[in-house]
Amino acid sequence: MSEPPVVIKTVDNGPYQVKGPVKVVDHENNVYELGPGRTHLLCRCGLSAKKPFCDGSHAREGFTAADRATPAETQ
């Protein structure tokens, strides 16, 4: 079985890691084509000055992601 074309992984108390290819469209309809192979980090804390991308603000500000998905929530 082959690996899915897009993988999104949460980093504990950090950003989303996205491995593509994938297209990201922000709230102003700016399009970011993220090619295959490289991992991109997307902001999850809401503090990044480079949204939708992570700039490390989560670490400086002490962001914690206490919520965890459960199997019932993912279906």
Side-chain angles (χ1 to χ4, degrees):
M1 182 178 211
S2 65
E3 198 173 323
V6 176
V7 177
I8 301 172
K9 178 181 177 184
T10 57
V11 176
D12 200 25
N13 299 323
Y16 293 111
Q17 287 182 343
V18 179
K19 193 165 185 173
V22 66
K23 178 175 23 175
V24 176
V25 181
D26 71 10
H27 65 285
E28 294 177 340
N29 287 324
N30 295 307
V31 176
Y32 305 91
E33 296 282 348
L34 308 180
R38 221 172 124 209
T39 298
H40 300 274
L41 302 175
L42 299 180
C43 179
R44 185 163 61 132
C45 70
L47 301 170
S48 176
K50 295 180 167 185
K51 288 183 201 97
F53 300 99
C54 176
D55 69 359
S57 292
H58 63 278
R60 290 188 298 277
E61 300 297 327
F63 172 73
T64 56
D67 295 335
R68 298 288 189 253
T70 62
E73 292 174 334
T74 60
Q75 296 176 357

